[in-house]
Amino acid sequence: MAYSDKVIDHYNNPRNVGSFRKDEEGVGTGIVGAPECGDVMKLQIKVENDTIVDAKFKTFGCGSAIASSSLATEWLKGKTLEEASKIKNTDIVQELNLPPVKIHCSVLAEDAIKAALNDYKKKTEATKQDKEQPATTSS
Amino acid sequence: MCWHCQSEVGGEYFCKRCVKVQPLSPDLDYFTCMKLPRILQIDEKALEETFYELSRTFHPDFYTTRDESEKAISLGNTALLNAAYRTLKDPFQRVEYLIRLEAGSAKDIRSAPPADLFEEILELQEDLETYRTVNPAEDPETANQLRAKLQASREHLESRLEELESALFERFRRWDELQGQSGHDGIDPRPQKDALLREMQDLLSHRTYVRNIIQDLADTLG
């Protein structure tokens, strides 16, 4: 079974490899794993005014997992949070021509996007609360 | 029903009337095929004996003079037999198979991933990457420091792997206990069984991640 040209391209020239500092403002981090193969993926988004201005990933796993997350970061850039939440693993499967045994890699990328979005939401809500509540409240 | 003479057969390997070999049902689970109860601490000797016995019954070498249908059945049965033996012989494949059987699909009982483990793995992978790019001739100190750090992590992970595996084997014992009491005391053991299956699934995935990173460490450190 051969990888598609697109997978090989993303594997050889992965886009947006790297990471942001987790505590940086506007950064959402998603770390997920695939229990089937033990691959681990980290995907981060940088958000300004509800729009994703930058995205980075680090994936330790097979070519398809790397390609799926590389593609995901390309797609995320410029999207609003709302649009980003609509990216489906099937879109990735289609774009990369993934064979059935590698579909879980695209699921992993979708999970990573969702985790990063959730993390961003949680973070912004927490800072909002901090700002709204006076410092006298103790937890 | 016998494929050849259409007389009744109920799971026998050969038709009583025409003595033709019968295909094993594709619905037959591996435990039943190997005449074992659905437990995890199996009698490995019994498994091997059944495997040899059934191999002697079905092996294609004994069917070279038979007609094409019988040859095909012998081949199909032998393939099933080999898969069953290989799966049940290995304790990790055995429990994975059992989870699939019991849950329909092991994916249905996927649960919360070990987040702190992922962090640890990512950090280690980054150290590994740095270590691969450091030239020991130019910067022996950094190379040695990193190597020592990675080596320590490797030892730590190896003992963690052992702990995970003994935790898993402890659940093998509890599963077999539940299988033994099924129905005796009037309490439905299903919820307990499902909880146990989930725990075992978690331990298995955890083990996969740890084994992967140990493998990566071994590949680089030698």
Side-chain angles (χ1 to χ4, degrees):
Chain A
M1 179 210 49
Y3 283 130
S4 72
D5 290 345
K6 279 180 184 160
V7 170
I8 292 168
D9 179 39
H10 275 281
Y11 180 74
N12 287 330
N13 313 291
R15 327 309 194 244
N16 313 309
V17 175
S19 50
F20 302 118
R21 272 196 10 255
K22 269 187 162 181
D23 49 3
E24 205 175 314
E25 210 184 308
V27 167
T29 304
I31 301 177
V32 293
E36 299 89 346
C37 53
D39 289 357
V40 178
M41 184 181 286
K42 175 164 97 170
L43 192 146
Q44 293 182 299
I45 51 170
K46 197 171 184 179
V47 184
E48 279 169 23
N49 302 322
D50 278 354
T51 302
I52 296 169
V53 292
D54 204 356
K56 290 201 184 297
F57 82 96
K58 272 203 173 170
T59 295
F60 298 96
C62 67
S64 300
I66 291 169
S68 294
S69 37
S70 170
L71 176 69
T73 54
E74 270 197 326
W75 279 354
L76 284 169
K77 283 192 194 181
K79 282 204 165 53
T80 63
L81 296 175
E82 170 74 24
E83 288 164 344
S85 67
K86 284 181 187 145
I87 296 176
K88 287 274 162 294
N89 84 293
T90 44
D91 305 333
I92 296 169
V93 171
Q94 218 169 21
E95 175 69 18
L96 295 176
N97 241 320
L98 294 179
V101 290
K102 290 294 178 182
I103 286 178
H104 70 267
C105 300
S106 67
V107 176
L108 196 59
E110 188 190 321
D111 287 350
I113 295 174
K114 288 205 180 104
L117 289 169
N118 277 338
D119 182 59
Y120 171 76
K121 269 179 215 153
K122 248 202 288 187
K123 249 172 88 174
T124 43
E125 270 161 30
T127 43
K128 233 188 262 167
Q129 272 179 5
D130 280 352
K131 279 175 191 161
E132 279 163 12
Q133 280 172 10
T136 47
T137 48
S138 58
S139 54
Chain B
M1 200 192 284
C2 171
W3 59 273
H4 185 252
C5 72
Q6 269 80 48
S7 56
E8 274 314 304
V9 275
E12 295 93 347
Y13 301 141
F14 299 94
C15 173
K16 278 184 192 132
R17 208 172 116 214
C18 70
V19 217
K20 295 276 187 196
V21 64
Q22 301 296 312
L24 294 169
S25 160
D27 302 330
L28 200 64
D29 74 78
Y30 292 168
F31 289 95
T32 314
C33 174
M34 289 302 187
K35 304 174 186 171
L36 290 168
R38 209 177 270 193
I39 57 169
L40 288 167
Q41 297 164 302
I42 58 165
D43 180 345
E44 290 180 29
K45 202 158 173 290
L47 171 69
E48 198 175 68
E49 276 165 12
T50 308
F51 175 63
Y52 288 147
E53 178 204 321
L54 292 180
S55 291
R56 279 192 295 271
T57 309
F58 294 125
H59 199 281
D61 284 358
F62 305 124
Y63 290 83
T64 49
T65 60
R66 307 295 183 84
D67 66 36
E68 289 309 311
S69 312
E70 283 183 283
K71 277 183 192 163
I73 291 167
S74 133
L75 203 62
N77 285 0
T78 302
L80 175 67
L81 200 60
N82 287 338
Y85 179 62
R86 221 180 309 122
T87 306
L88 295 186
K89 195 176 150 63
D90 177 75
F92 304 106
Q93 287 192 45
R94 187 190 311 145
V95 62
E96 250 173 68
Y97 180 74
L98 178 96
I99 293 170
R100 271 212 307 281
L101 267 186
E102 290 284 323
S105 156
K107 286 189 186 86
D108 295 347
I109 53 170
R110 188 170 172 170
S111 55
D116 47 340
L117 176 71
F118 291 166
E119 301 262 357
E120 201 182 326
I121 288 175
L122 284 168
E123 210 174 288
L124 267 172
Q125 291 282 16
E126 276 168 26
D127 285 345
L128 259 180
E129 252 177 12
T130 319
Y131 178 71
R132 285 191 203 110
T133 53
V134 170
N135 184 343
E138 277 170 22
D139 191 353
E141 201 181 321
T142 314
N144 284 339
Q145 267 176 10
L146 264 176
R147 192 183 171 83
K149 189 181 169 198
L150 290 168
Q151 192 60 44
S153 303
R154 181 184 179 177
E155 278 159 27
H156 165 73
L157 285 164
E158 272 164 358
S159 59
R160 184 124 124 225
L161 185 65
E162 269 175 41
E163 283 165 27
L164 284 169
E165 290 180 357
S166 40
L168 188 62
F169 293 144
E170 165 59 21
R171 277 153 188 88
F172 276 29
R173 198 185 56 73
R174 274 160 52 192
W175 173 266
D176 292 356
E177 256 174 37
L178 282 176
Q179 286 293 68
Q181 339 168 318
S182 284
H184 286 320
D185 46 13
I187 304 164
D188 176 17
R190 198 66 241 174
Q192 264 174 287
K193 280 189 182 175
D194 285 344
L196 209 47
L197 289 168
R198 228 185 323 272
E199 282 173 32
M200 292 195 287
Q201 179 65 60
D202 277 352
L203 286 165
L204 275 174
S205 347
H206 208 125
R207 177 178 175 268
T208 309
Y209 294 120
V210 172
R211 255 166 56 105
N212 265 19
I213 181 75
I214 290 176
Q215 188 57 51
D216 287 347
L217 284 164
D219 287 347
T220 302
L221 298 176

